[in-house]
Amino acid sequence: MPTPTMSRRSPDQQKAKPKEIKKKVMSEGVILEFVVDNKQGVMLDIPQSDYGSCIMNMPLIQHQLIETEEDRAQIEQINQRIKNDIDMARRTDDAKNVSAHQTDFLFYKQSQGVNWVREVAFSFVERIIDLNRWKLYPVDGWGIRYQKGDRTKKHAHWPHSWAYVYFVDCGDNCSPLEIYSEPDPAIQQTLDLAREHDKSGQAIPASISYQRHSITPEPGKLCIFPGWVPHEVKEQQSDRARYVVAGNIAQIAIQPQGIEVNVDGYISGKA
């Protein structure tokens, strides 16, 4: 077999231009890395004044925690404690998008059951990210009780990386959790800014979307999705109360990169 050799270029032959290497625009996983300006303490439980975050497009995590009869007995006890804690809690004046009995956003510090949900949600996300590149902060956790006529308007949890919802108790006709495909408007603005100003070499998509879901509540079911994904609970029609725990998880880059985004005062869904 002939031995490969380097070809020689004649003196008058132009040097070939190297091919441009195009970075692949990701459709799943981390779509964009950026830096959050947290100087005003938007993320109360995150100590850094600036931190690296991301927009990621990960499939919906939907898991029923009750898998055995032993699970059922234990989780029904936890759910009952969560219901009692929510019922006894003062309704927050800072609900923003929720027209129902909502606790304080840091209610996990007062309720062991809500904190348990928070830790379980954290453990699911921890399994699917690269812990060499990212660290997680379970930012908050609160409870909501929907009575007949209550609702939550369409909103997202941006700039939080992940949002979670856990169904504590509900009747047969409780309103589903509606998850929408079109992103929160701030996401498109961030992508546009990054394509214009980002110098880190990231391949930035022109837009992003999610898969549409309508999730039927079941006690013990946990749902986790990217924080930029809009979701809604339409008016509760059932006479039986609908109890949930919700919260956010921050995915923070160990080595931040990208444009700096100021989110002070931004509230998704607020008119």
Side-chain angles (χ1 to χ4, degrees), residues 55 158 183-192 208 227-229 266:
I55 298 171
W158 170 260
D184 183 271
I187 296 301
Q188 189 60 55
Q189 295 171 14
T190 303
L191 291 175
D192 292 343
I208 189 173
W228 58 265
V229 175
Y266 180 73

Side-chain angles (χ1 to χ4, degrees), residues 192-212:
D192 292 343
L193 284 171
R195 285 201 312 278
E196 183 178 357
H197 299 290
D198 185 86
K199 306 299 183 186
S200 65
Q202 300 180 75
I204 302 166
S207 61
I208 189 173
S209 62
Y210 205 64
Q211 186 173 355
R212 176 77 166 87

Side-chain angles (χ1 to χ4, degrees), residues 6-23:
M6 292 289 292
S7 61
R8 293 185 177 275
R9 179 168 45 94
S10 64
D12 58 343
Q13 183 181 356
Q14 290 186 350
K15 185 177 181 180
K17 292 183 179 180
K19 291 184 178 180
E20 181 182 356
I21 299 174
K22 294 184 178 180
K23 290 194 174 182

Side-chain angles (χ1 to χ4, degrees), residues 32-66:
L32 174 71
E33 295 187 42
F34 61 97
V35 177
V36 175
D37 176 0
N38 194 39
K39 295 181 180 65
Q40 300 300 317
V42 176
M43 309 299 192
L44 297 178
D45 273 17
I46 297 178
Q48 297 101 311
S49 59
D50 300 289
Y51 66 92
S53 187
C54 65
I55 298 171
M56 102 289 292
N57 200 5
M58 300 292 284
L60 171 72
I61 298 171
Q62 189 175 182
H63 187 79
Q64 175 54 259
L65 301 181
I66 301 174

